[in-house]
Amino acid sequence: MMNLMHWRLLVAVADHGSITAAAERVGMTQSAASQAMASMEATLGAQLFIREPRKTLPTALGLSVIEQARVMLGALQAIRSRVDEARPMLRGNLRIACFPQVLAKFLSPRLQRFAQLYPGIEVTTLEVTDNEVTALLDADLIDLGVVLNPGPGCQATPLGRDNWLAVVPARHALAQRAAGATVSLAELLEQPFVLATGGCTANARSLGVDAGLALRDVRVQVREWSSAFSLVREGVGVTLVPESTLPAQRQGLRVMPLSVPIHREFALVSAPARTPSAAASALLAMLAD
């Protein structure tokens, strides 16, 4: 069954020439977008795009379908604009704090959609660490903050999740395992290690502590994930990173899942000292839908 998101994705692929870029535009993961495109073609019983190594191009039939999809989406936007004109526009300011990777991968596409629905609300985003998010919320300096792994009693609106993955040098002994092989957290933490934090308290060291394990040989600690990948390529050590931080170019690296998967979750929470503003409530309601 096809829904509005499928048609938006179809047009985005045509505009960007890439399923990956289109997925970011509409707020989907690359794998979900690929599955959605395949599902659309299967439902319609026709090939809409030709997948080439560096480009995704529409077929002749695909061009015709895309043209009609644009007409449909344009009509829906006209309906939405007419409704917006007939009702008072919600106005205000919205301050959101978030750590960089989550902002880029998970929150920004949703904020683009929010801006279309509520053009009268000005959104300001702050890129900070997870500790700083908590401090800003407690000080009532922001309306909403993205937190990691919210507790069961926390009133939070989920944004997404990603898995922690091992990254080792391509020539490392662990990298010689068969395709699809996993690595345990215990054996990974015993290796010479590049500790990357991303400015967050949740990192390889804290995950080890939670599992009753310790990092025994930290060769270097860095804040930026990109620095960790460069050091791993040079053979300084292995590392453990969230899936959303993986580089597009992975030459010299072997990415391996953990034998017992560990994931991190992201969610939006409001400042505890006050009731969410109308602008904050509108965003939370959109995300909940």
Side-chain angles (χ1 to χ4, degrees):
M1 181 180 295
M2 292 181 291
N3 56 37
L4 190 57
M5 181 62 77
H6 285 89
W7 296 112
R8 289 197 180 106
L9 175 64
L10 180 76
V11 171
V13 172
D15 290 342
H16 294 279
S18 162
I19 291 179
T20 300
E24 293 182 1
R25 177 68 181 85
V26 301
M28 300 174 68
T29 64
Q30 193 276 337
S31 60
S34 295
Q35 293 174 7
M37 290 300 302
S39 174
M40 284 191 73
E41 291 180 326
T43 300
L44 294 173
Q47 184 177 0
L48 303 179
F49 288 93
I50 299 172
R51 280 77 163 172
E52 297 184 353
R54 297 179 180 275
K55 197 79 171 174
T56 300
L57 300 172
T59 62
L61 177 61
L63 287 172
S64 178
V65 173
I66 292 163
E67 180 181 356
Q68 294 302 314
R70 292 187 191 279
V71 172
M72 177 183 65
L73 293 175
L76 289 174
Q77 183 58 47
I79 292 171
R80 186 174 293 114
S81 297
R82 182 65 60 87
V83 172
D84 289 341
E85 291 171 0
R87 68 184 181 190
M89 181 181 294
L90 183 61
R91 299 184 182 277
N93 298 299
L94 187 57
R95 297 160 296 175
I96 305 174
C98 183
F99 18 104
Q101 289 75 25
V102 175
L103 176 61
K105 297 281 185 178
F106 294 89
L107 189 56
S108 288
R110 292 166 170 83
L111 291 180
Q112 291 175 2
R113 174 66 179 146
F114 183 70
Q116 294 174 345
L117 292 174
Y118 298 96
I121 298 177
E122 181 178 348
V123 179
T124 301
T125 56
L126 306 174
E127 293 190 2
V128 297
T129 67
D130 56 345
N131 278 335
E132 290 170 334
V133 170
T134 301
L136 290 167
L137 284 169
D138 290 342
D140 198 20
L141 295 175
I142 56 175
D143 299 288
L144 300 169
V146 175
V147 299
L148 276 176
N149 303 322
C154 180
Q155 295 296 319
T157 301
L159 284 176
R161 59 189 288 178
D162 62 359
N163 289 320
W164 288 90
L165 299 174
V167 182
V168 305
R171 297 181 180 274
H172 194 277
L174 292 174
Q176 308 314 308
R177 296 181 178 180
T182 62
V183 58
S184 72
L185 182 62
E187 62 183 329
L188 185 72
L189 298 187
E190 290 176 353
Q191 304 295 321
F193 209 89
V194 176
L195 177 59
T197 67
C200 296
T201 54
N203 53 60
R205 176 173 279 136
S206 68
L207 294 177
V209 170
D210 291 342
L213 303 169
L215 277 171
R216 303 187 182 281
D217 186 8
V218 177
R219 298 296 173 89
V220 63
Q221 178 173 329
V222 295
R223 175 188 174 97
E224 302 299 329
W225 306 107
S226 58
S227 300
F229 299 131
S230 297
L231 292 167
V232 172
R233 281 193 182 95
E234 295 172 9
V236 175
V238 304
T239 193
L240 184 67
V241 303
E243 185 176 6
S244 60
T245 68
L246 290 174
Q249 302 299 325
R250 302 178 190 177
Q251 294 89 342
L253 303 174
R254 171 78 187 273
V255 178
M256 305 177 69
L258 296 177
S259 54
V260 178
I262 303 174
H263 67 267
R264 61 176 192 168
E265 297 182 348
F266 324 108
L268 267 180
V269 301
S270 57
R274 58 189 167 96
T275 302
S277 66
S281 296
L283 176 59
L284 295 176
M286 187 200 79
L287 294 174
D289 290 340

